């Protein structure tokens, strides 16, 4: 994989920020978009734009074919057995909330348990908190090891016969750990619970196969994997999705509407009320084509190599605390520099054209666990290079000098 050539396909990366060539290291927040995706959106609006599933006119069929074609691409991309198991949503947050709202109340009784971890993004934490409050269920946490990893022995102790839902991030957006979600799914199933995976930080970076993982639900966002904002996916096993009631009612999702009662379309459309996110789904399809042409294994290898390089480079900087395990497969580096506030670090870096994120990264419980009020985070993707890491390291050394 040649990251230099790949960079050429991302128009936004070829600009100066504050007089310096842009180094974009905030892909965990959102990725940049390649020309193929931008062109697919333009093509759709110039040649196909129409509402789906209703018109008999030609544009209506083109839009419907493109939209449903994107669903097939998603199903293949994550190894789903059926396209009916792919629900288009606004993103990971919406997908996880859908499971909590449409599945949770039907299976939880007072005293039942929902199991998550302290490393979850707020999107995989607050929906379960709310569900626990509403149903009287107990929210339990698998504790973290000192390096931020999950030990399966701890999972075995936390997940019990009262557990109905286990929901864990495949990859943490702060610690950069890859969680043993397949093993967790096996433990969950042994106790009759379902396994929900937050795939926001894994799907863009590694090959995912939902059947191999044997998870019951898998949620991810398009915008972190080269697609536009506003499109995401909820994968669910067919029998589970079939057992669930829709949570949004209106156009598109109905079969027959009477004055007092109505029936719903079959899967997946019963969960897609209203005009769907047509252009977004088509953009996601184009992003999948783009990523698959390069190859998910090649992308993962490139990032693992770069993460190793970055870990070594940042470790050389005196006064820099790197959080999470030393060995990392994914390009997520969360750190603090001496006692300089991470917002100040990010501001000084931005003056050199280096874009990183600072804050709590929507993980306040994890920040407390790390004993940090906030951190800085550099996150990598397929278009980053060793030069980007060198620029980051130089800018960090300058930041230290700047603050004396
Ligand atoms: N889960 C994880 C693990 C995430 O990293 C994010 C977004 C979400 C869920 C929510 O995704 P959304 O597309 O619905 O917003 N994470 C980040 C981040 O780390 N910085 O900005 C957004």
């Amino acid at each position: 994989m040649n990251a230099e050539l790949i960079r050429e396909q991302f128009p936004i990366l070829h600009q100066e920020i504050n007089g310096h060539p842009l180094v974009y290291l905030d892909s965990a927040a959102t990725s940049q978009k390649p020309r193929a995706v931008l062109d697919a959106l333009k093509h759709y609006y110039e040649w196909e734009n129409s509402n789906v599933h209703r018109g008999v006119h030609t544009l209506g069929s083109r839009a419907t074919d493109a939209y449903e074609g994107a669903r097939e691409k998603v199903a293949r991309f994550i190894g789903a057995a059926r396209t009916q198991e792919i629900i288009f949503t606004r993103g990971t947050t919406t997908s996880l909330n859908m499971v909590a709202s449409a599945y949770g109340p039907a299976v939880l009784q007072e005293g039942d348990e929902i199991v998550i971890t302290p490393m979850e993004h707020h999107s995989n934490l607050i929906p379960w908190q709310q569900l626990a409050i509403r149903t009287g269920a107990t929210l339990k946490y698998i504790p973290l090891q000192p390096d931020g990893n999950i030990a399966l022995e701890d999972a075995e102790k936390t997940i019990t016969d009262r557990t109905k839902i286990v929901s864990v991030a495949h990859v943490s957006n702060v610690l950069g750990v890859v969680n043993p979600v397949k093993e967790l799914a096996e433990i969950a199933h042994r106790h009759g619970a379902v396994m929900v995976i937050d795939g926001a930080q894994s799907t863009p970076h590694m090959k995912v196969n939902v059947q191999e993982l044997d998870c019951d639900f898998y949620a991810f966002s398009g915008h972190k994997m080269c697609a536009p904002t506003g499109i995401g996916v909820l994968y669910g096993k067919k029998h589970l999705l079939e057992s669930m009631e829709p949570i949004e009612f209106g156009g598109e999702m109905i079969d027959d509407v009477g004055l007092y009662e109505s029936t719903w379309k079959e899967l997946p459309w019963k969960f897609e009320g209203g005009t769907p996110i047509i252009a977004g789904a088509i953009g996601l399809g184009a992003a999948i084509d783009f990523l698959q042409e390069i190859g998910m294994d090649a992308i993962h290898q490139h990032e693992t190599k770069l993460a190793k390089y970055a870990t070594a480079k940042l470790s050389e900087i005196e006064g820099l605390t790197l959080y999470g395990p030393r060995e990392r497969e994914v390009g997520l580096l969360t750190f603090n520099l001496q006692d300089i506030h991470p917002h100040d670090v990010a501001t000084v870096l931005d003056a050199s054209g280096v874009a990183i994120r600072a804050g709590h990264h929507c993980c306040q419980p994890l920040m407390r666990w790390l004993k940090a009020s906030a951190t800085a985070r550099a996150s990598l993707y397929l278009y980053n290079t060793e030069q980007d890491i060198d620029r980051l390291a130089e800018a960090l050394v300058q930041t230290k000098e700047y603050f004396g």
Side-chain angles (χ1 to χ4, degrees), residues 217-261:
F217 297 99
Y218 199 96
F220 62 98
S221 301
H223 70 94
K224 295 184 199 288
M225 49 180 285
C226 298
T229 49
I231 184 74
V233 171
L234 173 65
Y235 157 83
K237 282 185 183 163
K238 184 169 169 246
H239 73 279
L240 293 172
L241 291 174
E242 272 174 346
S243 74
M244 288 154 56
E245 281 295 303
I247 47 169
E248 276 195 334
F249 303 94
E252 283 278 325
M253 50 76 67
I254 53 84
D255 176 29
D256 185 68
V257 178
L259 282 179
Y260 300 103
E261 274 185 61

mmCIF file of all heavy atoms in Angstrom, residues 217-261:
data_model
loop_
_atom_site.group_PDB
_atom_site.id
_atom_site.type_symbol
_atom_site.label_atom_id
_atom_site.label_comp_id
_atom_site.label_asym_id
_atom_site.label_seq_id
_atom_site.Cartn_x
_atom_site.Cartn_y
_atom_site.Cartn_z
ATOM 1 N N PHE A 217 -25.635 -7.646 17.330
ATOM 2 C CA PHE A 217 -25.794 -6.324 16.725
ATOM 3 C C PHE A 217 -24.404 -5.724 16.528
ATOM 4 O O PHE A 217 -23.500 -5.951 17.346
ATOM 5 C CB PHE A 217 -26.600 -5.383 17.642
ATOM 6 C CG PHE A 217 -28.015 -5.830 17.891
ATOM 7 C CD1 PHE A 217 -28.350 -6.502 19.069
ATOM 8 C CD2 PHE A 217 -29.014 -5.576 16.974
ATOM 9 C CE1 PHE A 217 -29.652 -6.914 19.316
ATOM 10 C CE2 PHE A 217 -30.327 -5.988 17.202
ATOM 11 C CZ PHE A 217 -30.643 -6.655 18.372
ATOM 12 N N TYR A 218 -24.248 -4.951 15.447
ATOM 13 C CA TYR A 218 -22.966 -4.289 15.188
ATOM 14 C C TYR A 218 -23.293 -2.896 14.649
ATOM 15 O O TYR A 218 -24.089 -2.760 13.715
ATOM 16 C CB TYR A 218 -22.164 -5.086 14.150
ATOM 17 C CG TYR A 218 -20.692 -4.774 14.140
ATOM 18 C CD1 TYR A 218 -19.780 -5.565 14.837
ATOM 19 C CD2 TYR A 218 -20.192 -3.673 13.439
ATOM 20 C CE1 TYR A 218 -18.423 -5.282 14.843
ATOM 21 C CE2 TYR A 218 -18.834 -3.382 13.441
ATOM 22 C CZ TYR A 218 -17.953 -4.193 14.152
ATOM 23 O OH TYR A 218 -16.612 -3.905 14.158
ATOM 24 N N ALA A 219 -22.710 -1.870 15.263
ATOM 25 C CA ALA A 219 -23.046 -0.483 14.891
ATOM 26 C C ALA A 219 -21.814 0.230 14.377
ATOM 27 O O ALA A 219 -20.725 0.070 14.936
ATOM 28 C CB ALA A 219 -23.584 0.244 16.121
ATOM 29 N N PHE A 220 -21.951 1.010 13.302
ATOM 30 C CA PHE A 220 -20.823 1.840 12.865
ATOM 31 C C PHE A 220 -21.285 3.053 12.069
ATOM 32 O O PHE A 220 -22.445 3.150 11.685
ATOM 33 C CB PHE A 220 -19.773 1.025 12.105
ATOM 34 C CG PHE A 220 -20.231 0.385 10.821
ATOM 35 C CD1 PHE A 220 -19.988 0.984 9.588
ATOM 36 C CD2 PHE A 220 -20.875 -0.840 10.834
ATOM 37 C CE1 PHE A 220 -20.389 0.387 8.400
ATOM 38 C CE2 PHE A 220 -21.276 -1.452 9.655
ATOM 39 C CZ PHE A 220 -21.036 -0.829 8.439
ATOM 40 N N SER A 221 -20.343 3.975 11.847
ATOM 41 C CA SER A 221 -20.623 5.248 11.178
ATOM 42 C C SER A 221 -19.888 5.316 9.848
ATOM 43 O O SER A 221 -18.717 4.936 9.772
ATOM 44 C CB SER A 221 -20.129 6.430 12.032
ATOM 45 O OG SER A 221 -20.748 6.433 13.289
ATOM 46 N N GLY A 222 -20.531 5.872 8.845
ATOM 47 C CA GLY A 222 -19.877 6.041 7.553
ATOM 48 C C GLY A 222 -18.781 7.092 7.562
ATOM 49 O O GLY A 222 -17.745 6.933 6.924
ATOM 50 N N HIS A 223 -19.008 8.174 8.315
ATOM 51 C CA HIS A 223 -18.095 9.327 8.187
ATOM 52 C C HIS A 223 -16.685 9.049 8.695
ATOM 53 O O HIS A 223 -15.764 9.808 8.396
ATOM 54 C CB HIS A 223 -18.686 10.554 8.899
ATOM 55 C CG HIS A 223 -18.713 10.455 10.392
ATOM 56 N ND1 HIS A 223 -17.713 10.962 11.171
ATOM 57 C CD2 HIS A 223 -19.607 9.897 11.239
ATOM 58 C CE1 HIS A 223 -18.014 10.736 12.444
ATOM 59 N NE2 HIS A 223 -19.152 10.087 12.507
ATOM 60 N N LYS A 224 -16.501 7.986 9.465
ATOM 61 C CA LYS A 224 -15.153 7.650 9.937
ATOM 62 C C LYS A 224 -14.447 6.724 8.947
ATOM 63 O O LYS A 224 -13.315 6.309 9.168
ATOM 64 C CB LYS A 224 -15.217 6.986 11.312
ATOM 65 C CG LYS A 224 -15.740 7.913 12.416
ATOM 66 C CD LYS A 224 -15.677 7.228 13.755
ATOM 67 C CE LYS A 224 -16.575 7.872 14.800
ATOM 68 N NZ LYS A 224 -16.104 9.153 15.287
ATOM 69 N N MET A 225 -15.143 6.345 7.874
ATOM 70 C CA MET A 225 -14.551 5.412 6.898
ATOM 71 C C MET A 225 -14.704 5.950 5.476
ATOM 72 O O MET A 225 -15.077 5.215 4.563
ATOM 73 C CB MET A 225 -15.149 4.015 7.032
ATOM 74 C CG MET A 225 -16.650 3.946 7.068
ATOM 75 S SD MET A 225 -17.276 2.260 7.238
ATOM 76 C CE MET A 225 -17.017 1.627 5.591
ATOM 77 N N CYS A 226 -14.402 7.249 5.352
ATOM 78 C CA CYS A 226 -14.327 7.893 4.016
ATOM 79 C C CYS A 226 -15.682 8.254 3.413
ATOM 80 O O CYS A 226 -15.731 8.779 2.303
ATOM 81 C CB CYS A 226 -13.546 7.048 3.010
ATOM 82 S SG CYS A 226 -11.833 6.801 3.488
ATOM 83 N N ALA A 227 -16.785 7.947 4.085
ATOM 84 C CA ALA A 227 -18.107 8.269 3.561
ATOM 85 C C ALA A 227 -18.586 9.601 4.159
ATOM 86 O O ALA A 227 -17.952 10.125 5.075
ATOM 87 C CB ALA A 227 -19.071 7.128 3.891
ATOM 88 N N PRO A 228 -19.699 10.121 3.667
ATOM 89 C CA PRO A 228 -20.194 11.398 4.208
ATOM 90 C C PRO A 228 -20.699 11.272 5.645
ATOM 91 O O PRO A 228 -20.935 10.155 6.128
ATOM 92 C CB PRO A 228 -21.381 11.746 3.292
ATOM 93 C CG PRO A 228 -21.366 10.776 2.183
ATOM 94 C CD PRO A 228 -20.540 9.614 2.572
ATOM 95 N N THR A 229 -20.919 12.383 6.298
ATOM 96 C CA THR A 229 -21.583 12.383 7.608
ATOM 97 C C THR A 229 -23.073 12.082 7.382
ATOM 98 O O THR A 229 -23.587 12.229 6.266
ATOM 99 C CB THR A 229 -21.464 13.749 8.309
ATOM 100 O OG1 THR A 229 -21.829 14.775 7.388
ATOM 101 C CG2 THR A 229 -20.065 14.002 8.816
ATOM 102 N N GLY A 230 -23.728 11.642 8.446
ATOM 103 C CA GLY A 230 -25.181 11.447 8.386
ATOM 104 C C GLY A 230 -25.603 10.069 7.919
ATOM 105 O O GLY A 230 -26.785 9.812 7.742
ATOM 106 N N ILE A 231 -24.644 9.164 7.693
ATOM 107 C CA ILE A 231 -25.022 7.792 7.316
ATOM 108 C C ILE A 231 -24.276 6.821 8.226
ATOM 109 O O ILE A 231 -23.090 7.007 8.524
ATOM 110 C CB ILE A 231 -24.719 7.478 5.826
ATOM 111 C CG1 ILE A 231 -25.205 6.080 5.428
ATOM 112 C CG2 ILE A 231 -23.234 7.631 5.493
ATOM 113 C CD1 ILE A 231 -26.680 5.945 5.273
ATOM 114 N N GLY A 232 -24.983 5.809 8.671
ATOM 115 C CA GLY A 232 -24.362 4.777 9.494
ATOM 116 C C GLY A 232 -25.147 3.501 9.318
ATOM 117 O O GLY A 232 -26.086 3.436 8.521
ATOM 118 N N VAL A 233 -24.766 2.498 10.078
ATOM 119 C CA VAL A 233 -25.371 1.179 9.899
ATOM 120 C C VAL A 233 -25.658 0.537 11.252
ATOM 121 O O VAL A 233 -24.867 0.660 12.201
ATOM 122 C CB VAL A 233 -24.423 0.261 9.071
ATOM 123 C CG1 VAL A 233 -24.907 -1.180 9.060
ATOM 124 C CG2 VAL A 233 -24.270 0.788 7.641
ATOM 125 N N LEU A 234 -26.797 -0.126 11.318
ATOM 126 C CA LEU A 234 -27.020 -1.092 12.382
ATOM 127 C C LEU A 234 -27.172 -2.446 11.713
ATOM 128 O O LEU A 234 -28.096 -2.640 10.913
ATOM 129 C CB LEU A 234 -28.284 -0.771 13.195
ATOM 130 C CG LEU A 234 -28.640 -1.874 14.208
ATOM 131 C CD1 LEU A 234 -27.569 -1.997 15.285
ATOM 132 C CD2 LEU A 234 -29.998 -1.620 14.851
ATOM 133 N N TYR A 235 -26.260 -3.359 12.030
ATOM 134 C CA TYR A 235 -26.439 -4.750 11.631
ATOM 135 C C TYR A 235 -27.110 -5.460 12.798
ATOM 136 O O TYR A 235 -26.753 -5.226 13.965
ATOM 137 C CB TYR A 235 -25.074 -5.419 11.348
ATOM 138 C CG TYR A 235 -25.133 -6.930 11.466
ATOM 139 C CD1 TYR A 235 -25.575 -7.712 10.405
ATOM 140 C CD2 TYR A 235 -24.804 -7.571 12.664
ATOM 141 C CE1 TYR A 235 -25.684 -9.096 10.528
ATOM 142 C CE2 TYR A 235 -24.900 -8.953 12.800
ATOM 143 C CZ TYR A 235 -25.350 -9.712 11.728
ATOM 144 O OH TYR A 235 -25.456 -11.068 11.874
ATOM 145 N N GLY A 236 -28.076 -6.301 12.490
ATOM 146 C CA GLY A 236 -28.680 -7.128 13.536
ATOM 147 C C GLY A 236 -29.027 -8.484 12.954
ATOM 148 O O GLY A 236 -29.346 -8.594 11.761
ATOM 149 N N LYS A 237 -28.952 -9.519 13.773
ATOM 150 C CA LYS A 237 -29.360 -10.844 13.287
ATOM 151 C C LYS A 237 -30.855 -10.796 12.967
ATOM 152 O O LYS A 237 -31.635 -10.201 13.720
ATOM 153 C CB LYS A 237 -29.080 -11.899 14.354
ATOM 154 C CG LYS A 237 -27.611 -12.302 14.416
ATOM 155 C CD LYS A 237 -27.403 -13.447 15.404
ATOM 156 C CE LYS A 237 -25.929 -13.797 15.508
ATOM 157 N NZ LYS A 237 -25.622 -14.591 16.718
ATOM 158 N N LYS A 238 -31.211 -11.455 11.872
ATOM 159 C CA LYS A 238 -32.572 -11.348 11.341
ATOM 160 C C LYS A 238 -33.649 -11.652 12.391
ATOM 161 O O LYS A 238 -34.596 -10.880 12.551
ATOM 162 C CB LYS A 238 -32.714 -12.304 10.151
ATOM 163 C CG LYS A 238 -34.037 -12.229 9.442
ATOM 164 C CD LYS A 238 -33.968 -13.001 8.124
ATOM 165 C CE LYS A 238 -35.353 -13.166 7.531
ATOM 166 N NZ LYS A 238 -35.792 -14.561 7.488
ATOM 167 N N HIS A 239 -33.477 -12.758 13.126
ATOM 168 C CA HIS A 239 -34.556 -13.137 14.055
ATOM 169 C C HIS A 239 -34.719 -12.094 15.161
ATOM 170 O O HIS A 239 -35.825 -11.884 15.669
ATOM 171 C CB HIS A 239 -34.324 -14.542 14.628
ATOM 172 C CG HIS A 239 -33.216 -14.625 15.640
ATOM 173 N ND1 HIS A 239 -31.883 -14.708 15.267
ATOM 174 C CD2 HIS A 239 -33.222 -14.618 16.986
ATOM 175 C CE1 HIS A 239 -31.131 -14.767 16.355
ATOM 176 N NE2 HIS A 239 -31.922 -14.710 17.416
ATOM 177 N N LEU A 240 -33.632 -11.393 15.503
ATOM 178 C CA LEU A 240 -33.730 -10.356 16.541
ATOM 179 C C LEU A 240 -34.418 -9.121 15.981
ATOM 180 O O LEU A 240 -35.331 -8.567 16.600
ATOM 181 C CB LEU A 240 -32.340 -9.996 17.074
ATOM 182 C CG LEU A 240 -31.647 -11.111 17.858
ATOM 183 C CD1 LEU A 240 -30.203 -10.732 18.176
ATOM 184 C CD2 LEU A 240 -32.406 -11.416 19.150
ATOM 185 N N LEU A 241 -33.987 -8.704 14.791
ATOM 186 C CA LEU A 241 -34.610 -7.517 14.180
ATOM 187 C C LEU A 241 -36.097 -7.771 13.935
ATOM 188 O O LEU A 241 -36.926 -6.880 14.103
ATOM 189 C CB LEU A 241 -33.910 -7.164 12.862
ATOM 190 C CG LEU A 241 -32.469 -6.640 12.966
ATOM 191 C CD1 LEU A 241 -31.864 -6.479 11.572
ATOM 192 C CD2 LEU A 241 -32.402 -5.322 13.727
ATOM 193 N N GLU A 242 -36.417 -9.001 13.563
ATOM 194 C CA GLU A 242 -37.825 -9.325 13.305
ATOM 195 C C GLU A 242 -38.662 -9.230 14.575
ATOM 196 O O GLU A 242 -39.826 -8.849 14.539
ATOM 197 C CB GLU A 242 -37.945 -10.725 12.685
ATOM 198 C CG GLU A 242 -37.827 -10.660 11.182
ATOM 199 C CD GLU A 242 -37.790 -12.023 10.507
ATOM 200 O OE1 GLU A 242 -37.588 -13.040 11.202
ATOM 201 O OE2 GLU A 242 -37.935 -12.034 9.266
ATOM 202 N N SER A 243 -38.023 -9.560 15.698
ATOM 203 C CA SER A 243 -38.767 -9.553 16.964
ATOM 204 C C SER A 243 -38.962 -8.131 17.498
ATOM 205 O O SER A 243 -39.714 -7.916 18.439
ATOM 206 C CB SER A 243 -38.021 -10.389 18.005
ATOM 207 O OG SER A 243 -36.870 -9.665 18.462
ATOM 208 N N MET A 244 -38.263 -7.161 16.911
ATOM 209 C CA MET A 244 -38.285 -5.801 17.457
ATOM 210 C C MET A 244 -39.332 -4.938 16.769
ATOM 211 O O MET A 244 -39.554 -5.065 15.574
ATOM 212 C CB MET A 244 -36.894 -5.151 17.291
ATOM 213 C CG MET A 244 -35.840 -5.732 18.214
ATOM 214 S SD MET A 244 -34.137 -5.572 17.606
ATOM 215 C CE MET A 244 -33.938 -3.841 17.328
ATOM 216 N N GLU A 245 -39.912 -4.031 17.551
ATOM 217 C CA GLU A 245 -40.853 -3.067 16.991
ATOM 218 C C GLU A 245 -40.069 -1.870 16.471
ATOM 219 O O GLU A 245 -39.038 -1.505 17.045
ATOM 220 C CB GLU A 245 -41.830 -2.596 18.079
ATOM 221 C CG GLU A 245 -42.942 -3.575 18.381
ATOM 222 C CD GLU A 245 -43.887 -3.763 17.183
ATOM 223 O OE1 GLU A 245 -44.445 -2.768 16.705
ATOM 224 O OE2 GLU A 245 -44.035 -4.915 16.738
ATOM 225 N N PRO A 246 -40.566 -1.237 15.411
ATOM 226 C CA PRO A 246 -39.892 -0.020 14.938
ATOM 227 C C PRO A 246 -39.926 1.058 16.020
ATOM 228 O O PRO A 246 -40.774 1.003 16.918
ATOM 229 C CB PRO A 246 -40.750 0.430 13.757
ATOM 230 C CG PRO A 246 -41.663 -0.687 13.442
ATOM 231 C CD PRO A 246 -41.756 -1.576 14.627
ATOM 232 N N ILE A 247 -39.007 2.031 15.917
ATOM 233 C CA ILE A 247 -39.080 3.137 16.886
ATOM 234 C C ILE A 247 -39.455 4.449 16.213
ATOM 235 O O ILE A 247 -39.806 5.397 16.873
ATOM 236 C CB ILE A 247 -37.776 3.304 17.697
ATOM 237 C CG1 ILE A 247 -36.554 3.285 16.789
ATOM 238 C CG2 ILE A 247 -37.645 2.277 18.803
ATOM 239 C CD1 ILE A 247 -35.287 3.713 17.496
ATOM 240 N N GLU A 248 -39.378 4.469 14.888
ATOM 241 C CA GLU A 248 -39.825 5.666 14.170
ATOM 242 C C GLU A 248 -40.945 5.256 13.228
ATOM 243 O O GLU A 248 -40.785 4.329 12.428
ATOM 244 C CB GLU A 248 -38.671 6.270 13.369
ATOM 245 C CG GLU A 248 -37.803 7.161 14.211
ATOM 246 C CD GLU A 248 -36.895 8.042 13.377
ATOM 247 O OE1 GLU A 248 -36.551 7.664 12.235
ATOM 248 O OE2 GLU A 248 -36.520 9.106 13.871
ATOM 249 N N PHE A 249 -42.058 5.980 13.328
ATOM 250 C CA PHE A 249 -43.240 5.628 12.538
ATOM 251 C C PHE A 249 -43.536 6.735 11.540
ATOM 252 O O PHE A 249 -43.339 7.911 11.831
ATOM 253 C CB PHE A 249 -44.436 5.432 13.477
ATOM 254 C CG PHE A 249 -44.187 4.377 14.534
ATOM 255 C CD1 PHE A 249 -43.698 4.737 15.791
ATOM 256 C CD2 PHE A 249 -44.418 3.044 14.249
ATOM 257 C CE1 PHE A 249 -43.447 3.775 16.757
ATOM 258 C CE2 PHE A 249 -44.167 2.072 15.221
ATOM 259 C CZ PHE A 249 -43.682 2.431 16.474
ATOM 260 N N GLY A 250 -44.017 6.357 10.377
ATOM 261 C CA GLY A 250 -44.370 7.361 9.370
ATOM 262 C C GLY A 250 -44.326 6.763 7.986
ATOM 263 O O GLY A 250 -44.629 5.582 7.802
ATOM 264 N N GLY A 251 -43.925 7.573 7.031
ATOM 265 C CA GLY A 251 -43.862 7.112 5.653
ATOM 266 C C GLY A 251 -42.805 6.042 5.475
ATOM 267 O O GLY A 251 -41.980 5.814 6.361
ATOM 268 N N GLU A 252 -42.839 5.360 4.347
ATOM 269 C CA GLU A 252 -41.794 4.403 3.956
ATOM 270 C C GLU A 252 -41.804 3.093 4.725
ATOM 271 O O GLU A 252 -41.466 2.062 4.163
ATOM 272 C CB GLU A 252 -40.378 5.009 4.099
ATOM 273 C CG GLU A 252 -39.977 5.973 3.015
ATOM 274 C CD GLU A 252 -39.473 5.269 1.759
ATOM 275 O OE1 GLU A 252 -38.836 4.219 1.872
ATOM 276 O OE2 GLU A 252 -39.746 5.768 0.662
ATOM 277 N N MET A 253 -42.115 3.132 6.029
ATOM 278 C CA MET A 253 -41.900 1.924 6.843
ATOM 279 C C MET A 253 -43.185 1.096 7.002
ATOM 280 O O MET A 253 -43.174 0.066 7.652
ATOM 281 C CB MET A 253 -41.300 2.276 8.210
ATOM 282 C CG MET A 253 -41.951 3.362 9.018
ATOM 283 S SD MET A 253 -43.492 2.901 9.823
ATOM 284 C CE MET A 253 -42.895 1.707 10.997
ATOM 285 N N ILE A 254 -44.282 1.538 6.371
ATOM 286 C CA ILE A 254 -45.572 0.871 6.609
ATOM 287 C C ILE A 254 -45.929 -0.122 5.512
ATOM 288 O O ILE A 254 -45.467 -0.015 4.388
ATOM 289 C CB ILE A 254 -46.720 1.900 6.735
ATOM 290 C CG1 ILE A 254 -46.747 2.857 5.522
ATOM 291 C CG2 ILE A 254 -46.614 2.644 8.030
ATOM 292 C CD1 ILE A 254 -47.448 2.380 4.311
ATOM 293 N N ASP A 255 -46.783 -1.056 5.897
ATOM 294 C CA ASP A 255 -47.371 -1.962 4.913
ATOM 295 C C ASP A 255 -48.796 -1.509 4.638
ATOM 296 O O ASP A 255 -49.133 -1.053 3.553
ATOM 297 C CB ASP A 255 -47.323 -3.391 5.464
ATOM 298 C CG ASP A 255 -47.994 -4.384 4.541
ATOM 299 O OD1 ASP A 255 -47.996 -4.136 3.324
ATOM 300 O OD2 ASP A 255 -48.526 -5.399 5.036
ATOM 301 N N ASP A 256 -49.644 -1.532 5.685
ATOM 302 C CA ASP A 256 -51.035 -1.131 5.527
ATOM 303 C C ASP A 256 -51.423 -0.222 6.695
ATOM 304 O O ASP A 256 -51.183 -0.553 7.853
ATOM 305 C CB ASP A 256 -51.926 -2.385 5.525
ATOM 306 C CG ASP A 256 -53.364 -2.023 5.239
ATOM 307 O OD1 ASP A 256 -53.645 -1.611 4.097
ATOM 308 O OD2 ASP A 256 -54.192 -2.104 6.167
ATOM 309 N N VAL A 257 -51.987 0.924 6.382
ATOM 310 C CA VAL A 257 -52.345 1.887 7.429
ATOM 311 C C VAL A 257 -53.854 2.020 7.516
ATOM 312 O O VAL A 257 -54.522 2.343 6.524
ATOM 313 C CB VAL A 257 -51.702 3.262 7.143
ATOM 314 C CG1 VAL A 257 -52.112 4.278 8.209
ATOM 315 C CG2 VAL A 257 -50.183 3.141 7.099
ATOM 316 N N GLY A 258 -54.389 1.759 8.694
ATOM 317 C CA GLY A 258 -55.812 1.972 8.934
ATOM 318 C C GLY A 258 -55.981 3.185 9.822
ATOM 319 O O GLY A 258 -54.997 3.835 10.205
ATOM 320 N N LEU A 259 -57.211 3.519 10.139
ATOM 321 C CA LEU A 259 -57.441 4.694 10.989
ATOM 322 C C LEU A 259 -56.925 4.479 12.400
ATOM 323 O O LEU A 259 -56.476 5.398 13.055
ATOM 324 C CB LEU A 259 -58.945 5.015 11.038
ATOM 325 C CG LEU A 259 -59.511 5.734 9.806
ATOM 326 C CD1 LEU A 259 -61.003 5.975 9.966
ATOM 327 C CD2 LEU A 259 -58.802 7.064 9.557
ATOM 328 N N TYR A 260 -56.979 3.252 12.874
ATOM 329 C CA TYR A 260 -56.593 3.009 14.267
ATOM 330 C C TYR A 260 -55.434 2.039 14.433
ATOM 331 O O TYR A 260 -54.868 1.919 15.502
ATOM 332 C CB TYR A 260 -57.823 2.515 15.061
ATOM 333 C CG TYR A 260 -58.914 3.555 15.024
ATOM 334 C CD1 TYR A 260 -60.018 3.398 14.190
ATOM 335 C CD2 TYR A 260 -58.803 4.728 15.767
ATOM 336 C CE1 TYR A 260 -60.985 4.379 14.110
ATOM 337 C CE2 TYR A 260 -59.765 5.717 15.685
ATOM 338 C CZ TYR A 260 -60.856 5.545 14.857
ATOM 339 O OH TYR A 260 -61.791 6.528 14.772
ATOM 340 N N GLU A 261 -55.107 1.325 13.367
ATOM 341 C CA GLU A 261 -54.001 0.364 13.469
ATOM 342 C C GLU A 261 -53.265 0.284 12.146
ATOM 343 O O GLU A 261 -53.867 0.551 11.093
ATOM 344 C CB GLU A 261 -54.538 -1.030 13.799
ATOM 345 C CG GLU A 261 -54.719 -1.261 15.286
ATOM 346 C CD GLU A 261 -55.122 -2.687 15.566
ATOM 347 O OE1 GLU A 261 -54.336 -3.597 15.219
ATOM 348 O OE2 GLU A 261 -56.219 -2.890 16.108
#
